[in-house]
Amino acid sequence: MRQLWTMTASDLRQRVRDRSVIIFALVVPLALMFVFNLTSGGAANLTLKPVTVAVSAPAGDDLATAITATLTQVEGIDLTVDEVSADDARSSARSGDAELGVVIPAGFGDAVRAGKEVVVEVTEGEDSGIESDIVLTVVQGVLTQLSAGAVTAAAGAGAGVPDAQLAALAQQAATQAPEITLTQGEAASEQLSSSAALIAGQAGLFLLFTVGFGVLGLVAEREQGTLARLRSMPMRPWLIVTAKGLVSYILGVVATSVLLTLGSMFFDVSFGSPVAVAVLILCAVAAATSLMFIIARVARTAEQASVLQSILALLLGIAGGAFFPLNTTGFLDVVVGLNPIAAFTRGLGITSGGGGLGDIGVPVMLMLGFAVVGLAASRLVPDRGRDL
């Protein structure tokens, strides 16, 4: 054991002195977290600006008045409706005094009731944004509802409904609310916030790079001839491989713990129980390290090992939601669920929702299962270097 700890400590000192470990394990993922948070956080924290709509509606037209009244009742946006003439509505939008100009033509109500074509003119200002799009959607929704009344009246007339009943029928179709209720639900308790998902994804992705600094060092030492020297020393050969594995494991645990801690501080998120999070980190690092043993066996050179590591890290990282969440179903969802990075992120979602050790059994078993399969596979795949 003394030889094992001596080699592990010596290797760790070399890795810490190597600035590339610190860059890949901490600096790059933290920088990406800030960049992605700046780009995605803007959309998440979108604030709607006040918007002014200049509306021209014919006097005494109840359906045109209904459109104007609907605009004044829009919630969630500071909306001002100015009732002006048609020319003023257009010029206000063009000059920037209003974000939107809406012109409802004379005879609008009669045309709708008669089922005739009618055009509502909308002028969008140059400075309009998403607020104007919201207002346009509201206007379109009201027009669609009124069109439904016109279609109903036309269908009633075709079916021989008396004229006295057509107006009431059309009015009912145009104004009666559908028997559909939209209820806002809650996201699953396993779902991370956008900032927390970003931290977890980047930590998982760069974990696959960090652990490579230990195990994949075997390939480099094989090329440099130092592995043969180590094997000539009076100690058991498996101690060399075990020491490299320990280096990977320690680097992975430390880097992932630091990333989650700093990410929580910088982006004001919490991953929940520290004990449960620590268990998830240990399991994720075990799974990632097992993958490096496979790469070390199949790669002939350090360059090949680096390429394989990058490919697998990006594939597993992207599939695990390192950059954006994946919406998968069926068999593909099962495959993605076996990804240790996805299991790690899912586990953090459980702990951030208040879950403890008893709630993270599935992601823990997935990651440990991946580690066992990975280690077993590393002994079965051909050793192309024939020294490991």
Side-chain angles (χ1 to χ4, degrees):
M1 292 299 291
R2 183 178 177 182
Q3 295 170 322
L4 174 64
W5 291 118
T6 299
M7 284 191 294
T8 302
S10 174
D11 221 9
L12 278 174
R13 281 195 296 270
Q14 292 180 15
R15 299 304 174 190
V16 172
R17 291 171 183 168
D18 186 352
R19 302 292 176 86
S20 59
V21 175
I22 298 175
I23 291 173
F24 272 95
L26 298 175
V27 177
V28 174
L30 282 174
L32 286 177
M33 286 180 194
F34 279 104
V35 171
F36 285 125
N37 187 63
L38 285 175
T39 55
S40 63
N45 301 318
L46 178 66
T47 301
L48 296 177
K49 297 183 295 185
V51 59
T52 300
V53 181
V55 180
S56 171
D61 191 324
D62 56 340
L63 295 187
T65 303
I67 296 176
T68 306
T70 301
L71 290 178
T72 61
Q73 297 173 5
V74 174
E75 298 180 354
I77 181 171
D78 185 2
L79 194 152
T80 301
V81 177
D82 291 337
E83 297 190 37
V84 296
S85 66
D87 291 338
D88 288 343
R90 298 186 188 98
S91 61
S92 295
R94 290 167 183 158
S95 64
D97 293 335
E99 280 72 22
L100 206 64
V102 179
V103 178
I104 304 173
F108 172 77
D110 294 338
V112 170
R113 290 188 179 91
K116 296 180 180 177
E117 181 179 356
V118 61
V119 177
V120 174
E121 180 183 339
V122 176
T123 304
E124 197 168 359
E126 293 182 357
D127 297 331
S128 60
I130 190 172
E131 298 85 3
S132 299
D133 294 337
I134 294 173
V135 176
L136 276 174
T137 302
V138 172
V139 172
Q140 185 63 51
V142 175
L143 294 176
T144 302
Q145 193 76 11
L146 294 177
S147 297
V151 171
T152 302
V161 176
D163 293 342
Q165 299 178 14
L166 284 179
L169 190 63
Q171 184 76 15
Q172 184 179 6
T175 59
Q176 188 172 13
E179 296 296 333
I180 300 174
T181 303
L182 179 64
T183 303
Q184 184 174 0
E186 294 183 356
S189 59
E190 300 176 3
Q191 188 171 355
L192 291 166
S193 66
S194 58
S195 297
L198 176 64
I199 297 168
Q202 293 300 310
L205 170 64
F206 282 91
L207 167 63
L208 294 171
F209 287 102
T210 303
V211 294
F213 284 101
V215 175
L216 297 186
L218 285 167
V219 182
E221 293 205 22
R222 186 173 59 201
E223 284 187 317
Q224 296 165 0
T226 52
L227 185 59
R229 296 180 191 173
L230 288 173
R231 287 182 176 277
S232 66
M233 297 178 68
M235 62 181 177
R236 297 177 180 177
W238 63 266
L239 288 176
I240 303 172
V241 177
T242 304
K244 298 295 184 185
L246 279 175
V247 171
S248 286
Y249 199 81
I250 294 171
L251 289 176
V253 170
V254 172
T256 307
S257 301
V258 171
L259 286 178
L260 293 184
T261 302
L262 293 181
S264 301
M265 294 170 58
F266 291 148
F267 301 106
D268 193 25
V269 299
S270 173
F271 290 108
S273 167
V275 176
V277 172
V279 171
L280 290 171
I281 292 174
L282 295 175
C283 295
V285 176
T289 304
S290 71
L291 193 62
M292 297 302 113
F293 279 110
I294 299 177
I295 296 175
R297 294 270 292 189
V298 300
R300 290 183 184 275
T301 64
E303 185 178 1
Q304 288 182 0
S306 178
V307 171
L308 284 173
Q309 179 193 23
S310 299
I311 292 173
L312 291 175
L314 288 175
L315 284 176
L316 294 176
I318 293 174
F323 298 103
F324 45 82
L326 294 182
N327 294 319
T328 56
T329 57
F331 177 74
L332 184 58
D333 185 57
V334 175
V335 174
V336 171
L338 298 176
N339 178 355
I341 305 305
F344 177 59
T345 304
R346 181 184 176 189
L348 290 177
I350 295 173
T351 57
S352 68
L357 284 175
D359 302 309
I360 57 174
V362 173
V364 165
M365 292 303 295
L366 283 172
M367 288 186 283
L368 290 180
F370 188 96
V372 171
V373 172
L375 289 174
S378 69
R379 306 316 303 170
L380 297 176
V381 297
D383 183 4
R384 301 178 69 184
R386 300 190 183 284
D387 272 329
L388 303 180

